[in-house]
Each structure stands twice: as C-alpha cells, then as structure tokens.
Amino acid sequence: GLAWTPVGGDILFIEATRVAGSGRLILTGQLGDVMKESAQAALTLVKSHASALRIGAASFEAIDVHVHVPAGAIPKDGPSAGVAMFMALASLFTDRAVRHDVAMTGEISLRGLVLPVGGIKEKVLAAQRAGLRTVMLPARNEKDLRDVPEATRQALQFVWLATVDDAIRAALGEDGSRPRD
C-alpha cells in the first residue's frame, strides 16, 4: 500500500492470514478508526466477490482473519489503503500472491468502486524510491499525475482503477481466481 505522511509518501506492508476461529476480523498495527473500517469493508467486498474469485463459502466459516500492518509504533489512518487491504484479502483467499513489484492506493466502496484519494505525488515518489515498477491508482486521480515529475512518470507503469476488478487483474493476473484443480 501507499501512504501519505507529513514528511512525504511511504510504503505500507499489509499482511493477512487466517486461523481457526469464529469469524472475527482481527486488526493490528496501530490502525485508526477509518483504516479499521477500510479493512472491514475490504473483507465484506471479498466475500461479495467470492463467486467470481472462485472462493467457496466454506472458506469464511470457522476462521478468523488477521490483518496486520507492520511498523506498529507508527499510527496509521485514512481510507486510502482500501484497495491494498482488499488485495491482501483476495490474495489470501485465492491462494495467489500479489505481484511483488506493485504498489497501490485507493479508497473502496462496498460496490467495488475505487474512489480517489489525496497525496498522489508523494505516494508515487515513495513507490519509485522503493524500487517498485507498477503503481495502481484510482482512475479519478489520473489528473493528479501532472504533479509528478516527468522522470518519475516515465520510470513507472500506471494502472488506473475504476473498480476492484481492475486491481485484481493487475495484481493477481487474469481474473485473480483460484487456479482450477
């Protein structure tokens, strides 16, 4: 994920795992209320896309989902990690890894829309500093790319997201569903 901070952009690593449990969503990493809500929305969105992702309904039963954003001493908040949270959970439930060279930002709606966010210049520069090659951004933020230095725009590939389906295709490949047995 990509984050805006008062001193520039930063990279957020988002980890997700499932363990035996009772259907709880466990969130750790000093997340603020808005980021917690983004994680809850992301899990609901993965569940609503379960059929398209070829995730069986039983995959959500009798388990707890734990989402952790490392660097726990640093407070994190805001809605712009929604796409990254969704992709971490989609990856978890489809058993498909998100491409290692991709960064992403964007708020999500429960209908799967990717909504615009702030701090695009700082976030894109952070992705470049981290050596990432592809940046997934909300389509409605395309106008903000003009604030990014030309050399950075040329060095990166941009994927414009209107919906989370666009994110699935870009980060997991094809339709992102679990490979057929």
Side-chain angles (χ1 to χ4, degrees), residues 21-25 43 47 60-65:
S22 59
R24 294 183 311 144
L25 175 61
L43 181 57
K47 288 178 178 180
F60 301 104
E61 295 174 8
I63 62 149
D64 290 343
V65 175

Side-chain angles (χ1 to χ4, degrees), residues 51-77:
S51 178
L53 292 169
R54 296 188 201 120
I55 302 169
S59 297
F60 301 104
E61 295 174 8
I63 62 149
D64 290 343
V65 175
H66 188 156
V67 175
H68 179 63
V69 184
I74 301 169
K76 298 168 248 350
D77 205 6

Side-chain angles (χ1 to χ4, degrees), residues 71-87:
I74 301 169
K76 298 168 248 350
D77 205 6
S80 67
V83 169
M85 295 263 190
F86 171 80
M87 289 308 307

Side-chain angles (χ1 to χ4, degrees), residues 3-167:
W4 178 90
T5 73
V7 295
D10 202 2
I11 301 293
L12 287 179
F13 294 92
I14 299 174
E15 302 172 334
T17 193
R18 56 186 167 214
V19 295
S22 59
R24 294 183 311 144
L25 175 61
I26 303 162
L27 304 169
T28 55
Q30 202 171 32
L31 308 181
D33 289 341
V34 176
M35 192 171 266
K36 288 177 183 176
E37 290 172 1
S38 289
Q40 291 169 335
L43 181 57
T44 297
L45 197 52
V46 168
K47 288 178 178 180
S48 73
H49 277 68
S51 178
L53 292 169
R54 296 188 201 120
I55 302 169
S59 297
F60 301 104
E61 295 174 8
I63 62 149
D64 290 343
V65 175
H66 188 156
V67 175
H68 179 63
V69 184
I74 301 169
K76 298 168 248 350
D77 205 6
S80 67
V83 169
M85 295 263 190
F86 171 80
M87 289 308 307
L89 293 170
S91 169
L92 174 69
F93 283 102
T94 62
D95 295 320
R96 295 181 71 147
V98 173
R99 288 182 35 208
H100 71 280
D101 63 343
V102 174
M104 60 197 76
T105 188
E107 183 176 356
I108 56 172
S109 78
L110 288 178
R111 293 182 301 152
L113 299 175
V114 177
L115 306 175
V117 295
I120 295 300
K121 176 183 177 182
E122 293 82 2
K123 291 173 180 180
V124 168
L125 290 172
Q128 183 185 31
R129 276 194 312 274
L132 300 170
R133 293 193 174 123
T134 302
V135 180
M136 297 171 21
L137 300 171
R140 290 173 34 195
N141 280 114
E142 192 167 0
K143 66 185 179 339
D144 297 313
L145 204 59
R146 69 177 176 263
D147 299 331
V148 175
E150 178 66 24
T152 299
R153 289 194 311 252
Q154 295 300 318
L156 297 170
Q157 175 186 1
F158 295 94
V159 176
W160 300 104
L161 309 174
T163 69
V164 294
D165 296 325
D166 300 327

